Amino acid sequence: MTVTPRAGAVVLALGATLGAGVFTGFAPAAALAGPWFIPGLVLAAVAALCCAFSTADQHRAYPDAPGGYAYIRNQLGPWPARIGASAHLIGRTGMAAAVAGMFGAYVVPEHRVAAAVGLIVVVAALGAAGVRWSAGLSVAAVGVVLGVLALVVLVCFSVAPPENPAVEAGPGFDGLMGAALVLFTAFIGFERVTAPQRGDRVFSARVLHFAVPAVIGVVLVVCIGVSAAVLRQLGAARLALSPAPLRDALIVADGRWLLPVLAFGAAVAAVSSLYFVLASSRRTLVGMSESGDLPAVRSRWALEVLGAAPAVLGVVVLPPSTALAVGACGTAFYYGFTNASARVLLQEDRTWPMRTACLGLGLSVLLAMSAPADALAITAGALALGTGLIALGRVRRRARQAVG
């Protein structure tokens, strides 16, 4: 069967996108906004759409640049690039920890942390060995995950829900922005096609004009369906406390016999999305090494360790909901810089209106600043530490070169 470029782009992006956001993101979102978290999905989708447009245009302008760090450096200069790179690595760390934690919560709930650490180690080892996630694997993974999610929705809507408390969790509408930030993670992964890595397939602007809105639209429809299903069975109060909302919703809907199927779908989604998350971290580290902001690193194993070790630490020390919020907050700050740099692209480098970059910049900053207090504090501290260490390391290397 021949897959058209448009369909291929959509499937590749979905394979990198369907992960922790759709499997675990609804619980912290419900804790922040109660049932109002569902409208937050639309806001998150609009922000993701603007960010995808910006990265697509920047890749077209700088096709050989290693990712967003290089885009920011080329357009805004070294210091914004260092801050943006720190934010990106923090976001990738939180996302990797959240995806691995999702794997543990659904597949091995009795040993969640050990299973999460083991998954990170295995996927990092595959990346270091040069194993690539092919288009065929993406097609299979997306088919399995969408099929499992559809089954969950069907079961949850075919069985009458129990009586749920009338008082819902969270501060309601006031928590909408915080919920939208957490749910932003459900749409991250579009860079798989908007800014492909070296050696990956590059899609034309014409293909992306169809594929990018299609990917965001598909994820939005899937998330609305799944969130409505789990909210129907659990109610906002119980959903807010659930470490594995889809599993708990199936149990309440008398679908316990489907739990092995759900665990398999969660495992496939975790491996597929985690592979992209760690590859994205490696790409930023390569770009920083090439520019001199990090020491020259030529070993794939060293790069994988630098990307995977913080994720393992995140799994061990952070609750899954906090790891997800940190991942969302760091990524939103990173896309703030990415959209800011996309605003100054020349007209001939654009295939999307500049207004989308402006809107993306505003939404990214607004979402990042709406993070839960603990996640915002962790992200801000790590951002300051990471940027400071990058600058200090560069100064020391220059001093040694001057002495030598």
Side-chain angles (χ1 to χ4, degrees), residues 347-396:
Q347 189 61 40
E348 56 265 28
D349 292 326
R350 296 185 177 281
T351 61
W352 305 94
M354 186 179 72
R355 291 185 181 87
T356 61
C358 297
L359 179 59
L361 169 59
L363 287 176
S364 296
V365 174
L366 188 59
L367 290 177
M369 296 305 295
S370 301
D374 56 348
L376 185 59
I378 292 170
T379 303
L383 190 59
L385 178 62
T387 306
L389 289 176
I390 292 170
L392 179 61
R394 190 175 181 92
V395 168
R396 285 189 167 185

Side-chain angles (χ1 to χ4, degrees), residues 290-309:
E290 291 177 351
S291 70
D293 277 337
L294 286 180
V297 181
R298 295 179 176 84
S299 168
R300 290 183 65 94
W301 284 97
L303 290 170
E304 289 295 340
V305 170
L306 287 173

